[in-house]
């Protein structure tokens, strides 16, 4: 992180109203209860820190995509309920984000944590309108950004508001920036990156960034077929982005000059159609049948990759190794995840689907760090600036 930013620990919050941007964009079930409270629990350290230091947290989040208008099913009431359970302290939900009624309710509920309504009910949020940002700022004395997952977006609650209040980061934000930022600075070596996922175009900047710092990049998932094709091999009906072949070829060239090992799978599980019940078999990479498609890495690749992972001292993983949603094609992802979970290395995971896979296998706790920020994490690792982070006060 360059330059380092101030956190809530660097300023005096005692007796202050602190407007905290959290990322409580959680999934709701059909009864509109919170189906997964991981994001809520991730923000508890900041909320508890503020309470312990006699500050008054006023929390704000977006939920879903209401497009600047009120959508009844996207109110933050169920989130407030879940937060109250997790926090074990009173939480008051307000049906608005700004205005005199909100001000009054904040003054009245001095001993409660406040959760405002869905920010995206207001068009000014996504459009980053100064008057909405200013109205938000009027609710508090200090602004704290703990929503790493939205830090790549310049909205009123992430960037606009920082023009009006002293602005610092929360503890989750700090942990995300330190952990992910640390990967690009001084990782313990060997540093092995495991990259999968569906689109190579999404991962090119990431590959480019890791070519400057990783020792080995293990590729899998849908993205590896563009690499394989660029080497002159045939890939049958597997997913490919023809227009990215040139880019990938130059990345592989860069890898050679930088002496970074980039591995592609040496075998695959191939299927006769894109279906969970498709016929499937294991073939070496150079023998993918023309009318079949590869949907998972094969057993020999799992062995090769696990060998590299076991030798690593730092492992970063992003992107499933196959179509892990379907059991016939989930073995590669599961085996690699298990191997990462077992190593002594520092293990860091980013990406929404990778996170989902880990949870499905019950392995999240075995990792040193699982990022809560999908797009934001990728942006940071690509070496790009995050507007919401840039807007905070320098330390
Ligand atoms: P993350 O969210 O962890 O960054 P991505 O979104 O990049 O991961 O990729 C996840 C998706 O990639 C999954 O839905 C998975 O089914 C798909 N995928 C993985 N391997 C293949 C493959 N061989 N063919 C098609 N899709 C694949
Ligand atoms: Mg994804």
């Amino acid at each position: 992180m360059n330059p380092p930013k101030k956190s809530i620990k660097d300023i005096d919050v005692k007796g202050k109203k602190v407007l905290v941007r959290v990322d409580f964009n959680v999934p709701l079930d059909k009864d509109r209860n919170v189906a997964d409270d991981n994001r809520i629990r991730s923000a508890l350290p900041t909320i508890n820190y503020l309470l312990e230091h006699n500050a008054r947290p006023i929390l704000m989040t977006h939920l879903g995509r209401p497009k600047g208008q009120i959508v009844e099913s996207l109110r933050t009431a169920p989130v407030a309920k879940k937060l109250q359970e997790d926090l074990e302290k009173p939480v008051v939900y307000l049906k608005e984000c700004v205005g005199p009624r909100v001000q009054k309710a904040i003054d009245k509920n001095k001993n409660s944590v406040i959760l405002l309504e869905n920010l995206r009910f207001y068009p000014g949020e996504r459009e980053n309108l100064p008057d909405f940002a200013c109205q938000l700022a009027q609710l508090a004395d200090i602004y704290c950004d703990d929503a790493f997952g939205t830090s790549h977006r310049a909205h009123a609650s992430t960037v606009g508001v920082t023009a009006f209040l002293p602005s610092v980061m929360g503890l989750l934000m700090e942990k995300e920036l330190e952990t992910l930022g640390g990967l690009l600075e001084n990782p313990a070596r060997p540093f092995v990156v495991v990259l999968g996922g569906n689109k190579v175009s999404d991962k090119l900047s990431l590959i480019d960034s890791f070519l400057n710092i990783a020792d080995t990049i293990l590729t899998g998932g849908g993205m590896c077929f563009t690499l394989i094709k660029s080497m002159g091999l045939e890939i049958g009906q597997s997913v490919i982005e023809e227009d990215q072949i040139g880019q990938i070829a130059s990345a592989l060239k860069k890898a050679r000059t930088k002496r970074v090992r980039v591995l592609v799978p040496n075998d695959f599980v191939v299927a006769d159609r894109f279906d969970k019940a498709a016929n499937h078999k294991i073939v070496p990479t150079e023998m993918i049948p023309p009318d079949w498609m590869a949907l998972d890495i094969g057993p020999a690749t799992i062995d090769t990759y696990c060998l590299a992972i076991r030798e690593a001292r730092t492992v970063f993983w992003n992107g499933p190794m196959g179509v892990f949603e379907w059991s016939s094609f989930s073995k590669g992802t599961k085996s690699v995840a298990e191997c990462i979970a077992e190593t002594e290395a520092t293990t860091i995971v980013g990406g929404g689907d990778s996170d989902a896979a880990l949870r499905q296998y019950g392995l999240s706790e075995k990792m040193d760090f699982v990022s809560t920020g999908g797009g934001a994490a990728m942006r940071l690792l690509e070496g790009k600036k995050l507007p919401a982070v840039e807007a905070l006060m320098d330390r």
Side-chain angles (χ1 to χ4, degrees), residues 6-8 20 46 144-146 168-175 392:
K6 276 197 172 144
S7 89
I8 44 169
V20 188
T46 294
C144 166
D145 192 349
D146 212 23
V168 297
M169 61 185 172
L171 304 180
L172 172 64
M173 177 73 98
E174 184 171 30
K175 176 98 184 129
L392 302 174

Side-chain angles (χ1 to χ4, degrees), residues 34-332:
V34 174
D36 179 344
D37 66 344
N38 188 48
R39 286 185 171 167
I40 296 177
R41 282 185 285 111
S42 301
L44 294 182
T46 294
I47 302 169
N48 280 319
Y49 177 92
L50 291 171
L51 293 172
E52 281 155 21
H53 290 78
N54 297 314
R56 296 173 52 201
I58 301 161
L59 311 179
M60 55 178 176
T61 184
H62 74 285
L63 180 62
R65 298 169 181 268
K67 304 211 171 105
Q69 57 190 16
I70 295 174
V71 175
E72 287 302 326
S73 60
L74 291 176
R75 290 196 180 275
T76 55
V79 181
K81 190 173 138 217
K82 188 71 193 169
L83 172 63
Q84 177 158 301
E85 273 170 46
D86 289 348
L87 192 62
E88 298 176 355
K89 294 193 180 99
V91 174
V92 170
Y93 153 71
L94 302 183
K95 273 189 119 167
E96 293 166 294
C97 290
V98 292
R101 279 190 297 268
V102 174
Q103 303 259 13
K104 219 181 259 164
I106 290 172
D107 290 341
K108 209 177 91 192
N109 294 286
K110 288 203 164 57
N111 295 314
S112 301
V113 172
I114 306 276
L115 178 66
L116 304 178
E117 187 51 277
N118 192 341
L119 287 160
R120 291 196 186 162
F121 285 0
Y122 298 77
E125 164 64 356
R126 291 184 53 125
E127 288 167 41
N128 191 12
L129 297 182
D131 76 307
F132 182 60
C134 181
Q135 287 186 69
L136 287 171
Q138 280 162 25
L139 304 176
D141 309 303
I142 293 170
Y143 169 72
C144 166
D145 192 349
D146 212 23
F148 177 68
T150 55
S151 60
H152 55 315
R153 311 236 183 262
H155 293 166
S157 69
T158 62
V159 171
V161 65
T162 63
F164 304 99
L165 287 175
S167 302
V168 297
M169 61 185 172
L171 304 180
L172 172 64
M173 177 73 98
E174 184 171 30
K175 176 98 184 129
E176 291 271 5
L177 294 175
E178 264 177 23
T179 310
L180 297 175
L183 279 179
L184 299 182
E185 271 155 28
N186 196 13
R189 298 186 177 283
F191 176 22
V192 173
V193 172
V194 184
L195 268 189
N198 49 359
K199 288 173 84 183
V200 81
S201 51
D202 284 351
K203 312 282 172 176
L204 262 172
S205 311
L206 207 56
I207 295 173
D208 203 55
S209 179
F210 281 128
L211 284 177
N212 296 321
I213 189 90
D215 298 294
T216 303
I217 302 178
L218 310 172
T219 67
M223 55 89 77
C224 73
F225 301 104
T226 307
L227 270 84
I228 294 172
K229 184 89 186 187
S230 83
M231 298 166 167
L233 289 169
E234 289 308 321
I235 55 163
Q237 302 302 310
S238 312
V239 286
I240 172 115
E241 288 172 273
E242 300 274 357
D243 57 340
Q244 305 291 324
I245 292 177
Q247 293 262 46
I248 271 293
S250 35
L252 290 176
K253 209 159 136 198
K254 177 173 168 186
R256 281 190 292 274
T257 52
K258 297 243 172 199
R259 299 186 184 283
V260 179
R261 282 203 311 157
V262 178
L263 269 61
V264 295
N266 48 47
D267 65 348
F268 284 104
V269 182
V270 293
D272 60 353
R273 62 202 150 101
F274 192 71
D275 192 293
K276 69 172 175 211
N279 294 311
H280 53 89
K281 59 185 179 187
I282 294 159
V283 299
T285 299
E286 73 282 7
M287 299 206 7
I288 300 174
D291 45 357
W292 290 53
M293 59 185 71
L295 297 184
D296 194 12
I297 59 173
T301 306
I302 294 173
D303 286 349
T304 308
Y305 284 12
C306 286
L307 214 64
I309 290 165
R310 279 187 210 111
E311 279 170 13
R313 288 183 60 214
T314 308
V315 181
F316 173 73
W317 175 39
N318 165 251
M321 295 288 101
V323 184
F324 75 103
E325 296 92 337
W326 296 338
S327 62
S328 305
F329 311 106
S330 67
K331 188 151 187 258

